[in-house]
């Protein structure tokens, strides 16, 4: 069933309530003059129906929370990628222009990148391989910063004093920064792929729970109706 789980949640509540009301009415009609034992038996099946509904709803809510958690993780991962781009773009802008205005997005990107990775590690703390991927990404980005970005920024600041644009152009042509960023992107893409795989599993489990809950509700209700009639005979 490809339906929003929250909508299905309320639909199930409505269906279960209607069936319980109908069943209760039938029970009152068919066993109103029967023994207390029969009434207890019938009440027991209504309790069973309620337990099934509550258990199914509990599973749905738990899975829905897991899916929402994965969405939060993927959003945070996307924000980290954007912050990484801000760092790279800010550095390039400064190298080309020499204007310190471009250092602001570099600096804010740096703060948001490492703060975001820390937050993301907390969000996936129950998944050690994912935490390890983020740690690797952290180390690569930090290496890019210390071995590429900061030396280039320092070199650009020295132009006109002891260095020339030719010196800067030679360093940029080496393309060392691209290697670091490509590695970091590969790791973040692997991270996202795993989260998407887990979400697909959780969505499938949720749909299976919904289907099973529908069948259980209808089966128990049908049994209660048959039992009510048989007790009345």
């Amino acid at each position: 069933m490809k339906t929003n789980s929250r909508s299905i949640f309320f639909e199930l509540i409505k269906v279960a309530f209607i069936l319980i009301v109908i069943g209760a009415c039938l029970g009152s009609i068919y066993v109103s003059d029967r023994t207390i034992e029969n009434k207890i038996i019938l009440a027991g099946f209504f309790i069973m129906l309620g337990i099934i509904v509550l258990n199914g709803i509990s599973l749905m809510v738990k899975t829905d929370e897991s899916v929402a958690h994965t969405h939060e993780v993927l959003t945070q991962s996307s924000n980290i990628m954007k912050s990484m781009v801000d760092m790279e773009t800010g550095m390039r802008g400064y190298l080309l222009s020499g204007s310190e205005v471009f250092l602001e997005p570099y600096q804010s990107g740096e703060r948001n990148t490492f703060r975001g990775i820390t937050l993301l590690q907390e969000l996936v703390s129950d998944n050690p391989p994912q935490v390890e991927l983020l740690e690797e990404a952290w180390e690569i980005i930090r290496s890019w910063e210390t071995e590429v970005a900061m030396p280039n920024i320092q070199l650009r600041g020295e132009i006109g004093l002891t260095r020339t644009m030719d010196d800067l152009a030679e360093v940029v042509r080496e393309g060392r920064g691209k290697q670091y960023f490509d590695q970091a992107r590969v790791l973040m893409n692997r991270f996202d792929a795993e989260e998407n795989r887990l979400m697909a599993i959780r969505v499938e489990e949720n749909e299976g729970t919904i289907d099973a809950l529908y069948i259980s509700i209808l089966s128990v209700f049908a049994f209660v109706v048959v039992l009510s009639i048989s007790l009345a005979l």
Side-chain angles (χ1 to χ4, degrees):
M1 296 181 179
K2 309 294 183 182
T3 313
N4 180 274
S5 57
R6 293 186 183 277
S7 299
I8 294 175
F9 171 83
F10 290 110
E11 183 181 345
L12 281 171
I13 291 291
K14 182 173 66 176
V15 170
F17 178 76
I18 292 173
L19 291 179
I20 289 173
V21 170
I22 294 174
C25 292
L26 288 173
S28 64
I29 292 173
Y30 286 113
V31 299
S32 57
D33 59 344
R34 299 297 167 177
T35 65
I36 187 65
E37 289 81 3
N38 288 348
K39 292 181 180 179
I40 291 174
I41 291 173
L42 189 59
F45 279 101
F46 276 112
I47 293 173
M48 183 188 302
L49 177 60
I51 292 173
I52 291 174
V53 171
L54 290 175
N55 183 59
I57 289 172
S58 176
L59 290 174
M60 284 173 56
V61 169
K62 183 178 180 180
T63 306
D64 198 42
E65 289 174 349
S66 296
V67 172
H69 172 78
T70 304
H71 279 300
E72 182 183 1
V73 168
L74 289 171
T75 297
Q76 183 62 33
S77 175
S78 177
N79 290 338
I80 290 171
M81 293 294 291
K82 292 175 183 176
S83 297
M84 288 167 55
V85 171
D86 287 343
M87 290 178 70
E88 188 178 30
T89 302
M91 182 199 69
R92 287 179 177 176
Y94 177 70
L95 296 183
L96 289 172
S97 68
S99 172
E100 294 189 359
V101 171
F102 289 96
L103 290 180
E104 194 282 325
Y106 168 81
Q107 293 165 347
S108 63
E110 176 195 26
R111 290 191 300 271
N112 293 334
T113 295
F114 293 112
R115 185 186 302 146
I117 291 177
T118 299
L119 174 59
L120 199 52
Q121 286 178 316
E122 294 174 358
L123 288 174
V124 298
S125 58
D126 60 339
N127 191 334
Q130 290 291 77
V131 174
E132 185 176 345
L133 277 178
L134 293 172
E135 187 64 32
E136 291 181 44
W138 173 294
E139 293 175 359
I140 289 172
I141 298 168
R142 185 64 79 186
S143 295
W144 170 83
E145 183 182 27
T146 57
E147 297 178 24
V148 177
M150 293 177 66
N152 284 352
I153 290 172
Q154 181 179 354
L155 176 59
R156 184 64 177 84
E158 294 173 353
I159 289 179
L161 299 174
T162 60
R163 310 298 288 270
T164 68
M165 287 298 292
D166 289 338
D167 295 323
L168 180 62
E170 183 178 350
V171 172
V172 172
R173 275 196 298 270
E174 293 177 1
R176 295 177 61 202
K178 183 178 184 301
Q179 298 172 10
Y180 286 98
F181 262 78
D182 285 348
Q183 293 176 41
R185 287 190 182 97
V186 167
L187 290 173
M188 295 306 296
N189 287 337
R190 283 172 55 190
F191 178 90
D192 287 352
E194 175 62 12
E195 290 300 317
N196 280 310
R197 185 187 71 83
L198 292 173
M199 183 163 62
I201 292 173
R202 290 160 181 162
V203 169
E204 185 176 353
E205 289 175 349
N206 204 26
E207 292 169 355
T209 300
I210 292 167
D211 289 339
L213 187 54
Y214 267 121
I215 293 172
S216 297
I217 290 173
L218 293 175
S219 298
V220 173
F221 176 74
F223 188 79
V224 168
V225 171
V226 171
L227 180 63
S228 297
I229 296 174
S230 64
L231 290 175
L233 296 178

